[in-house]
Amino acid sequence: MNRDRYMWLRWTLPPAILVALLWLPFGFTLHGLIEEWGVLGLFTNSGPLLFVTDGSGFGAHKLRPLTIFPHALAYLMQPDSFTAWHWIMIAALVAKGAASSYIGAYITRSTRWGVCFGLMVLLYPADTMQLSFRGLHINASLALMLFGSALFIWAQGSRSTGARWSAIVLGVVCLIAAQMMYEVAFALAPLPLVAIWCREGFRSTANQVRSRPAATGGWILASLLYAGYVLVASSSGGESYQQSLTSGRSPLAVLWVALPKLF
């Protein structure tokens, strides 16, 4: 067996086993709560909605236009049950755990600690409803963000030009999709650079960025593209979901008030 070819099994198999154990007691009996039925009602009346627009009935979520993309994809796969929702949730959780395992192993230089980190990401904290369908888009967003970050980290050290550019392009797509699905993922944008810094230190990280700037430029580009979309969408008029939660205050004002709690 080629060790490098099957290296991905090290990161994928433990999260897959854990997710299977989580599903084992109840199987596919989990159904929607509240918001999910509203989404299903929209799909039933107007068809599945892959991208939120102002006139779609979800216009308040225009800053996260892919927020119900996973739900719409599940509806297209199987409109009469929640079975497809389960499979998409399972895939998102396994991807989240596998990407976290890779990033953790990269930082610590230890496969064992990397796998422990990936499993911890899946299990802790366990009181935020991340295993309910209410958090389907959140899990999908984090899975894309972590997977995209892992691609950028891998691309930074790849010797193959073709493989490196393929990873960068796919990483940009993943990061943009993650942020457009759940805007909080924007806070994880520096993760690839932070992971390299944790492993290599400041000087070596700076040398890597100078020698291979394309990977760093990729995740910066993804964040700038999403920031540009937010500016355009915010100027189109109408109150967004985020503004309704912050009583119309600016994001900077909300951040200033929340800083002590965030710290």
Side-chain angles (χ1 to χ4, degrees):
M1 179 182 291
N2 188 320
R3 186 176 179 180
D4 292 333
R5 181 180 298 176
Y6 295 96
M7 183 69 72
W8 61 272
L9 281 174
R10 292 188 175 192
W11 322 126
T12 307
L13 193 57
I17 293 174
L18 175 60
V19 171
L21 291 174
L22 290 173
W23 253 255
L24 188 61
F26 307 104
F28 285 63
T29 59
L30 178 66
H31 284 200
L33 298 176
I34 300 175
E35 294 94 336
E36 296 89 325
W37 293 103
V39 171
L40 283 174
L42 175 68
F43 292 166
T44 301
N45 294 327
S46 306
L49 181 66
L50 298 174
F51 193 90
V52 169
T53 59
D54 283 331
S56 62
F58 271 76
H61 293 279
K62 58 187 176 183
L63 299 188
R64 46 167 81 161
L66 294 178
T67 185
I68 55 176
F69 179 87
H71 310 81
L73 182 61
Y75 185 86
L76 286 170
M77 293 170 61
Q78 198 166 21
D80 298 323
S81 77
F82 284 98
T83 302
W85 296 51
H86 281 270
W87 285 116
I88 290 177
M89 178 75 85
I90 288 171
L93 291 174
V94 172
K96 187 167 73 169
S100 300
S101 296
Y102 174 80
I103 294 171
Y106 175 84
I107 293 173
T108 62
R109 303 173 189 262
S110 167
T111 300
R112 182 181 304 171
W113 284 113
V115 170
C116 288
F117 177 67
L119 298 179
M120 186 175 68
V121 167
L122 290 179
L123 292 177
Y124 181 86
D127 58 351
T128 54
M129 296 193 295
Q130 79 267 32
L131 297 181
S132 70
F133 291 138
R134 187 178 187 272
L136 180 60
H137 65 294
I138 299 175
N139 279 311
S141 171
L142 290 177
L144 288 168
M145 199 71 188
L146 290 166
F147 182 68
S149 298
L151 285 172
F152 283 121
I153 293 169
W154 182 85
Q156 194 72 51
S158 175
R159 296 181 179 179
S160 170
T161 303
R164 181 168 65 250
W165 278 104
S166 297
I168 291 172
V169 171
L170 182 57
V172 169
V173 173
C174 287
L175 261 62
I176 292 176
Q179 294 170 91
M180 298 185 80
M181 194 172 292
Y182 190 56
E183 73 285 352
V184 179
F186 183 79
L188 291 176
L191 180 59
L193 189 63
V194 171
I196 296 173
W197 173 74
C198 288
R199 175 186 170 103
E200 305 291 349
F202 180 80
R203 180 173 298 179
S204 181
T205 300
N207 291 335
Q208 285 194 36
V209 171
R210 282 196 296 267
S211 62
R212 291 185 176 177
T216 303
W219 61 260
I220 292 176
L221 174 64
S223 301
L224 290 177
L225 288 174
Y226 176 69
Y229 169 80
V230 169
L231 292 175
V232 172
S234 299
S235 64
S236 63
E239 186 179 57
S240 67
Y241 170 75
Q242 291 77 9
Q243 287 174 319
S244 67
L245 294 178
T246 59
S247 303
R249 291 179 294 176
S250 70
L252 289 178
V254 174
L255 179 62
W256 179 256
V257 173
L259 269 179
K261 296 179 181 178
L262 292 174
F263 179 77

